[in-house]
Amino acid sequence: MIAVGYPICRKPKHPVHKVKRWPARLTARQDSFYSAPATARVAQANNWTVPRCVMISRILLTVAFLVSAPVAAFACAGQLIKDERIHASPLCVPADPQRIVVMDQSFALGIGLELGLPIVGAPLNRMSDEDLLARAQAVGVEDLGFVTEPNLERIVALQPDLIIGFTGDPGLAESFYPMLSSLAPTLLDISGDWQGFYDILGGLTGQQDKVEALFADYSARLQDIRERVPETAVSILRITPWDFQVYTDTPGAYAPFQVLSDAGVRRSAYETAPDGPALKRPDWEELSQLDGEVLLYIVGGTNDSATSGRHEEVVGNPLWRLLPAVQAGQVHQIDPATWMEFSGLPSAHRVLDDIEHLIINRE
C-alpha cells in the first residue's frame, strides 16, 4: 500500500501549466447544458489552469498506481462498482464517502443533494436554477467556478474522497478522467440516462428503496398526464445569443425532452427524428417548420440571450410573427432552469407542470 500526499499549493512564481483535456466534439446533451458555442466551450476548457503542485501530484500518483497495480487489480478496500454505464468500470470507490465533489451543476449536484450525498464542492457559477443553488449553498457546497472552467486548485484544497460527474458521453469522460482520477476516485456516468443515474447513486449510498419510492410517485403522475394530453402538436425552441436550437423527439434525447415524449406530447414533423440528430440548429428560413399549434421557447439561463437584446430581436422579427402558434397567441416562454439545467426528478415534475398548464389546460 503506497500513500501519496498532495504538496501544499503555493502561489506560483511562473505561469501555471495549461492542460488540454476537453474533446473537440460535444454531443447534443452537453450542448444543451454548456452555454457557449462549441468552439468557445472547447477553447475555455482547453485553458483549464492547473497549479504546478497538482502536476507533480499527478506524476506521483501515476508512479504509485504503476507500483501498486497488481494489488489494486484484485482488491478493493471500499465498494467495487461494475456497471457499463460508468467510465473505467469496474471502479473502486470509498465504502462511505464523506467529501464528494461533483463536476456538473445539474444532474450530479441535483440528484446528489436529493439523495443526501455529502457534497462539498460543485461548479455553481452562472447557475439559473436558483432553488438548486440555494439548496447547495445551504449545506455549504463550495463554488468551483463555471462548469467548463472548474478551479482545480479548489478541488485539491477540498480534499475529496470521491468525484462524481454526469457526462453522458464516453469520449468526454475519457478526455478528463485522467486528470480527475489523479485527485480522487472518479465516477463518471457515460450513459446519458438520467433515471439510471439515480440507480447508480442510490446503489452507491444504499438508498435503492428511496429511489424506487420517488419514481413510483413520478410514474403515477406521468401516467395520469399521458392519459390527458391532447393530440395538439407542440414546438419547442431555444434562443441563444448565437443561434436557434431545437431538441428533437428522438431516442436518447436530452432529459426534459425525454419527459415530454414519455408524457405523450406530440412534436411537429421537423422536431420528430426517430433516426436523426438529437439537436438541430435551424436558420430563420427553417424556423417556419416549427408549425406546432403551441410554441414553447427558452431564452437566458447560463447565457445572456434574455438581457443582450437578442430576445427582443427575435420576437420582433416578421418571420417570427408568421409562425402559426405566434399568430394564434399560443406562444409561451419557459424556464431555462428547468429545461436547460435539468437536475433530476424535481425538474421532471416542473416539466410536467408546464405540460399541464400550457398544453392540457391551455385557453
Side-chain angles (χ1 to χ4, degrees):
M1 186 71 160
I2 298 178
V4 179
Y6 295 101
I8 297 174
C9 289
R10 291 183 292 270
K11 185 176 180 180
K13 297 179 180 179
H14 307 288
V16 293
H17 295 280
K18 291 187 176 181
V19 180
K20 295 188 177 182
R21 288 288 177 187
W22 215 263
R25 175 180 64 85
L26 293 173
T27 66
R29 184 170 290 104
Q30 284 95 46
D31 208 6
S32 70
F33 180 72
Y34 303 127
S35 63
T39 52
R41 288 195 307 271
V42 172
Q44 288 175 341
N46 280 347
N47 285 323
W48 276 14
T49 55
V50 185
R52 190 176 300 276
C53 60
V54 177
M55 298 297 292
I56 295 172
S57 299
R58 292 183 64 209
I59 296 172
L60 293 175
L61 280 169
T62 300
V63 173
F65 173 78
L66 292 174
V67 173
S68 62
V71 177
F74 297 99
C76 174
Q79 300 183 60
L80 185 65
I81 301 178
K82 297 181 179 181
D83 195 315
E84 62 183 10
R85 297 170 295 184
I86 297 174
H87 180 72
S89 173
L91 180 69
C92 184
V93 301
D96 184 25
Q98 296 297 309
R99 298 185 62 80
I100 297 176
V101 162
V102 298
M103 298 306 298
D104 65 87
Q105 59 199 34
S106 54
F107 297 96
L109 179 61
I111 297 173
L113 290 179
E114 189 176 4
L115 296 182
L117 270 61
I119 298 174
V120 296
L124 306 180
N125 187 259
R126 285 187 260 171
M127 284 183 65
S128 61
D129 189 336
E130 295 182 359
D131 176 67
L132 180 56
L133 176 60
R135 285 192 285 130
Q137 292 173 332
V139 296
V141 176
E142 290 198 28
D143 182 15
L144 303 178
F146 188 52
V147 64
T148 60
E149 299 174 299
N151 187 309
L152 297 183
E153 189 168 7
R154 291 183 195 171
I155 297 176
V156 172
L158 288 172
Q159 299 183 325
D161 53 11
L162 180 62
I163 296 173
I164 295 176
F166 186 94
T167 68
D169 179 75
L172 186 60
E174 185 176 359
S175 66
F176 61 88
Y177 180 82
M179 170 64 73
L180 296 178
S181 62
S182 72
L183 305 179
T186 300
L187 187 158
L188 300 177
D189 181 284
I190 58 175
S191 70
D193 177 6
W194 70 276
Q195 298 189 38
F197 197 48
Y198 271 94
D199 179 53
I200 292 171
L201 296 189
L204 177 69
T205 58
Q207 297 189 74
Q208 294 95 331
D209 291 344
K210 179 178 180 179
V211 169
E212 289 180 7
L214 289 170
F215 273 98
D217 292 341
Y218 170 71
S219 297
R221 186 184 180 200
L222 183 67
Q223 180 60 32
D224 172 66
I225 287 178
R226 188 178 182 89
E227 292 173 356
R228 295 185 288 119
V229 164
E231 286 297 312
T232 304
V234 177
S235 291
I236 305 181
L237 177 70
R238 184 190 188 196
I239 301 169
T240 74
W242 52 88
D243 66 2
F244 296 119
Q245 298 176 1
V246 171
Y247 296 88
T248 62
D249 184 355
T250 188
Y254 177 46
F257 301 93
Q258 289 179 2
V259 174
L260 203 68
S261 180
D262 291 343
V265 174
R266 186 168 67 88
R267 306 283 294 282
S268 71
Y270 177 78
E271 299 164 80
T272 305
D275 301 312
L279 176 66
K280 293 183 177 181
R281 301 178 187 273
D283 56 25
W284 270 109
E285 287 69 26
E286 292 173 309
L287 215 60
S288 63
Q289 298 183 64
L290 298 181
D291 55 4
E293 298 168 60
V294 175
L295 173 62
L296 310 179
Y297 73 96
I298 305 155
V299 293
T302 55
N303 64 64
D304 67 354
S305 57
T307 58
S308 65
R310 169 69 166 165
H311 183 200
E312 293 77 11
E313 170 197 336
V314 171
V315 300
N317 191 293
L319 294 176
W320 174 267
R321 295 172 184 163
L322 290 176
L323 295 174
V326 175
Q327 293 186 331
Q330 293 294 327
V331 56
H332 307 281
Q333 184 177 341
I334 51 180
D335 183 12
T338 296
W339 291 84
M340 290 294 107
E341 291 184 48
F342 189 97
S343 57
L345 281 169
S347 297
H349 279 288
R350 290 197 293 270
V351 170
L352 297 183
D353 290 342
D354 283 344
I355 294 173
E356 290 223 54
H357 299 152
L358 305 176
I359 300 173
I360 296 177
N361 298 326
R362 68 190 180 100
E363 297 180 356

